[in-house]
């Protein structure tokens, strides 16, 4: 078994171990989850250190690293040919940073779960199952395998929100499940269409191999998604355009974009703190990753035609999310809407089809991953103490929780894009890419860069206004003296969880090359794939 398979299936071993232990050993479940996640994080850092940044990947099999390919399912279908599904995994510069990010955020999620008392066996087993699915999604190069991991991810999330969530947890869990399942069903239709359109030149059989789907030469003449002889239309719209749009919406639900974002605030508000951390830190990135890895790489011709609309959706998401964040009175809901705004930058960067914009979008995903995880953890700290998140119920917290205030201030300043922090690098490169897109003839006008810039200004407004309302001035708490006693400052465990994320925000703000160096070749390779269609 290769290193990448070990990285994927380590959490599954933890799940089986937790399930095998009797209830009398309930105190050990969290230590098992922590131990396996620490090993997983160390392994991801080893992969990061061993990764050769000169290999591009994307549509070149030789450009992928830590590759493992085994025959998984072979079925003779008679006249149709043979069904080919492989256990095919590997990573390039697009997936590597997200794998490392996922292991870090999962570690934060386990740390935030330390006080979970309700059914710990089921809780930690589901958390580890979710961990396995996420690793599989970022590593799979066979579309069927990708879909299996994508579906496996839904089940633990549904139960984690529905059982361990807040008062309206069933509503939030069902809403999340239906939205994501809708995306999955749509994705399955396109997967089937692609499968019957693409032929493996080595075996002559239809295939789910993503890399073969990226090569126009592997499409059968007259097949449904064929590039060169595509005469298939549905209601006058080319089949490839429909395939791209369907896949885009499947992943856009996960990003999430406006107006498909409505599941996100409800899921965040009702989810327990660790699940909110994982949801914001990792799962939103699956949407952006899917758009880059699948939509843009398999349908580069359509991506070049549709990028104006995708950039527009990105700008709308930036502004709509920021304006909604400004209007929120619930702290967790405010941060949830800020995520909608920040992920809009990812769409704008991808749609710019410039090296700066795409690199900025990837950097923004990594930066938003650990910063949003830190923000949701900070909200969870105050909620655990007084079970309230209403912004106007707190004032003058700085005088009674100075350490907490310092961490919140750093997280807010880092998230609003202050120079010196990672979010600044991500957003600045997206704006540079969007501004430069017009001169590169990618079809993105400069006013969209201006729209993104206004989003940065609005994010500064809602973060600083919240800081002013809750932390400064004379101390006034809705719960009076009882709240004053309950609102103790951060303990060592809480600081230990927060410190790496905020340190990383500063480190990547000063040395962005730690990420750019690894993803640059893949970004350039993706642009080479799309360039002929611009």
């Amino acid at each position: 078994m290769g290193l990448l398979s070990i990285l994927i299936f380590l959490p599954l071993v933890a799940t089986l171990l937790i399930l095998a232990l009797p209830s009398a050993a309930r105190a050990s479940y969290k230590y098992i989850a922590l131990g396996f996640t620490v090993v997983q994080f160390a392994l991801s850092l080893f992969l990061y250190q061993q990764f050769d940044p000169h290999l591009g990947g994307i549509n070149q099999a030789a450009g992928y690293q830590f590759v493992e390919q085994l025959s998984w399912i072979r079925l003779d279908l008679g006249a149709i040919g043979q069904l080919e599904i492989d256990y095919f995994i590997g990573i390039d510069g697009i997936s590597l940073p997200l794998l490392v990010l996922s292991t870090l955020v999962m570690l934060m999620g386990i740390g935030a779960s330390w006080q979970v008392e309700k059914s710990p066996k089921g809780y930690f087993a589901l958390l580890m199952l979710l961990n396995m699915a996420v690793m599989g999604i970022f590593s799979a190069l066979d579309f069927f395998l990708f879909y299996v991991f994508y579906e496996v991810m839904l089940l633990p999330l549904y139960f984690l929100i529905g059982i361990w969530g807040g008062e309206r947890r069933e509503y939030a869990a069902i809403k999340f499940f239906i939205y994501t399942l809708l995306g999955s069903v749509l994705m399955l239709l396109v997967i089937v269409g692609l499968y019957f359109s693409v032929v493996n030149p080595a075996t002559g059989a239809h295939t789910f191999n993503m890399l073969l789907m990226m090569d126009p030469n592997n499409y059968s003449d007259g097949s449904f998604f064929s590039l060169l002889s595509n005469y298939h239309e549905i209601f006058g719209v080319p089949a490839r355009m429909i395939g791209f749009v369907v896949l885009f919406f499947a992943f856009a639900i996960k990003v999430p974009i406006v107006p498909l974002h409505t599941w996100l605030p409800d899921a965040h508000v009702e989810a327990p703190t660790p699940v909110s951390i994982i949801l914001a830190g990792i799962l939103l990135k699956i949407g952006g990753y899917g758009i880059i890895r699948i939509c843009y790489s398999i349908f580069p011709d359509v991506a070049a035609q549709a990028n104006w609309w995708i950039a527009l959706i990105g700008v709308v998401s930036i502004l709509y999310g920021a304006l909604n964040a400004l209007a929120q009175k619930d702290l967790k809901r405010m941060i949830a809407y800020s995520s909608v705004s920040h992920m809009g930058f990812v769409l704008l960067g991808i749609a710019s089809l410039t090296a700066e914009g795409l690199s900025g979008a990837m950097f923004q995903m990594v930066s938003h991953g650990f910063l949003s995880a830190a923000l949701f953890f900070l909200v969870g700290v105050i909620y655990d103490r007084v079970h309230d998140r209403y912004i106007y119920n707190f004032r003058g917290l700085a005088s009674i929780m100075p350490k907490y205030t310092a961490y919140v201030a750093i997280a807010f300043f880092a998230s609003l894009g202050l120079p010196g922090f990672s979010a600044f690098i991500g957003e600045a490169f997206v704006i540079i890419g969007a501004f430069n897109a017009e001169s590169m003839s990618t079809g993105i006008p400069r006013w969209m860069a201006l729209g993104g810039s206004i989003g940065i200004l609005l994010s500064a407004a809602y973060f600083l206004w919240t800081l002013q309302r809750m932390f400064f001035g004379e101390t006034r708490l809705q719960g009076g003296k009882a709240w004053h006693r309950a609102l103790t400052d951060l303990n060592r465990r809480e600081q230990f969880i927060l410190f790496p994320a905020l340190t990383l925000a500063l480190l990547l703000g000063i040395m962005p090359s730690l990420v750019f160096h690894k993803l640059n070749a893949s970004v350039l390779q993706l642009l080479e794939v799309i360039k002929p269609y611009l």
Side-chain angles (χ1 to χ4, degrees):
M1 182 179 279
L3 287 177
L4 202 52
S5 287
I6 294 172
L7 186 77
I8 295 169
F9 292 110
L10 259 180
L12 185 62
V13 176
T15 302
L16 297 175
L17 190 57
I18 289 169
L19 292 176
L21 286 172
S23 299
R26 57 185 289 143
S28 64
Y29 301 148
K30 59 187 178 187
Y31 291 103
I32 292 170
L34 179 66
F36 275 85
T37 315
V38 167
V39 173
Q40 198 185 26
F41 178 57
L43 188 55
S44 73
L45 290 180
F46 178 75
L47 294 181
Y48 180 86
Q49 193 268 331
Q50 293 292 313
F51 186 83
D52 183 352
H54 301 102
L55 298 176
I58 305 294
N59 64 339
Q60 297 176 344
Y64 281 86
Q65 299 173 55
F66 308 104
V67 173
E68 296 170 50
Q69 185 168 15
L70 301 167
S71 295
W72 180 22
I73 300 173
R74 292 288 185 274
L75 186 64
D76 190 353
L77 301 176
I80 300 176
Q82 191 181 43
L83 181 74
E84 272 188 8
I85 301 175
D86 289 343
Y87 174 74
F88 185 21
I89 57 172
I91 55 175
D92 62 0
I94 302 296
S95 42
L96 175 74
L98 297 175
L99 272 180
V100 179
L101 168 74
S102 301
T103 57
L104 172 66
V105 173
M106 200 55 77
L107 204 51
M108 293 175 71
I110 298 293
S113 307
W114 217 242
Q115 308 295 340
V116 170
E117 295 292 337
K118 181 181 176 182
S119 307
K121 173 180 276 197
Y123 178 85
F124 284 104
L126 287 170
L127 214 53
M128 289 294 96
L129 192 62
L130 176 63
N131 188 351
M132 180 205 71
V134 167
M135 295 299 150
I137 288 170
F138 288 135
S139 306
L141 296 177
D142 183 284
F143 214 157
F144 188 87
L145 184 65
F146 177 92
Y147 188 75
V148 168
F149 281 123
Y150 193 84
E151 289 294 291
V152 169
M153 175 191 68
L154 292 185
L155 202 64
L157 259 179
Y158 170 75
F159 286 115
L160 285 167
I161 297 172
I163 297 176
W164 286 271
E167 289 180 2
R168 298 173 68 239
R169 54 185 178 272
E170 290 91 353
Y171 167 75
I174 290 171
K175 192 173 181 180
F176 159 78
F177 194 85
I178 289 175
Y179 265 77
T180 312
L181 190 63
L182 171 66
S184 302
V185 172
L186 294 175
M187 191 195 307
L188 183 60
L189 291 173
V190 181
I191 291 174
V192 172
L194 282 168
Y195 168 75
F196 284 112
S197 299
V198 178
V199 172
N200 184 342
T203 63
H206 292 295
T207 180
F208 288 98
N209 187 315
M210 283 190 202
L211 306 190
L212 294 178
M213 289 176 178
M214 295 174 194
D215 186 347
N217 298 318
N218 294 326
Y219 285 77
S220 307
D221 287 341
S223 62
F224 193 70
F225 286 129
S226 173
L227 179 65
L228 300 176
S229 55
N230 183 13
Y231 51 81
H232 290 280
E233 293 184 348
I234 300 174
F235 301 118
V237 181
R240 281 184 69 83
M241 175 63 81
I242 290 177
F244 175 87
V245 171
V246 167
L247 274 180
F248 175 78
F249 273 96
F251 291 118
I253 290 171
K254 264 277 177 284
V255 170
I257 65 159
V258 177
L260 303 174
H261 68 288
T262 59
W263 64 270
L264 183 75
D266 289 325
H268 270 308
V269 167
E270 299 304 327
T273 298
V275 177
S276 282
I277 289 172
I278 293 166
L279 196 61
I282 304 173
L283 300 182
L284 303 190
K285 313 303 168 293
I286 290 171
Y289 174 77
I291 290 170
I292 294 174
R293 168 73 69 221
I294 294 173
C295 296
Y296 273 62
S297 301
I298 295 180
F299 295 95
D301 49 329
V302 187
Q305 294 176 40
N307 63 335
W308 189 92
W309 291 102
I310 293 171
L312 181 66
I313 293 170
V315 173
V316 170
S317 294
I318 291 169
L319 298 177
Y320 181 86
L323 289 170
N324 268 279
L326 202 56
Q328 297 306 311
K329 296 172 182 173
D330 182 317
L331 187 57
K332 203 173 188 183
R333 196 172 276 271
M334 187 272 279
I335 293 172
Y337 274 107
S338 79
S339 290
V340 174
S341 179
H342 284 132
M343 290 304 290
F345 281 98
V346 174
L347 268 188
L348 180 60
I350 294 171
S352 74
L353 295 180
T354 61
E356 309 94 304
L358 264 169
S359 300
M362 279 300 301
F363 200 92
Q364 173 72 354
M365 280 203 278
V366 174
S367 169
H368 180 263
F370 54 77
L371 277 175
S372 61
L375 286 169
F376 279 111
F377 180 77
L378 285 163
V379 176
V381 166
I382 204 168
Y383 187 76
D384 286 345
R385 282 158 172 69
V386 295
H387 299 288
D388 198 296
R389 299 183 301 255
Y390 193 71
I391 291 172
Y392 289 100
N393 287 348
F394 300 89
R395 188 166 175 81
L397 281 177
S399 61
I400 57 175
M401 300 177 75
K403 289 179 190 171
Y404 179 76
T405 305
Y407 277 97
V408 168
I410 294 170
F412 276 14
F413 280 117
S415 297
L416 65 84
L418 193 73
F421 289 102
S422 54
F424 168 76
I425 301 293
E427 291 173 358
F429 271 71
V430 167
I431 298 297
I432 293 169
F435 188 83
N436 197 31
E438 192 169 292
S439 57
M440 300 291 286
S441 302
T442 65
I444 305 300
R446 287 192 170 131
W447 63 262
M448 289 192 181
L450 177 65
S453 305
I454 294 171
I456 296 176
L457 189 65
L458 289 172
S459 71
Y462 61 74
F463 275 127
L464 293 179
W465 193 31
T466 303
L467 200 63
Q468 177 65 36
R469 283 179 290 175
M470 291 185 70
F471 294 91
F472 300 116
E474 186 183 346
T475 303
R476 282 204 311 270
L477 303 170
Q478 178 73 15
K481 290 182 180 177
W483 278 25
H484 203 290
R485 285 192 298 274
L487 288 168
T488 53
D489 213 343
L490 292 174
N491 58 37
R492 284 186 184 176
R493 179 184 64 86
E494 290 163 343
Q495 290 188 72
F496 191 71
I497 294 168
L498 286 167
F499 189 76
L502 299 186
T503 304
L504 200 54
L506 188 60
L507 180 66
L508 291 184
I510 298 168
M511 296 178 63
S513 57
L514 288 173
V515 173
F516 282 149
H517 183 53
K518 300 291 184 183
L519 63 85
N520 191 48
S522 295
V523 166
L524 295 178
Q525 179 64 27
L526 177 60
L527 291 175
E528 283 299 314
V529 172
I530 300 173
K531 199 174 174 181
Y533 305 103
L534 286 172

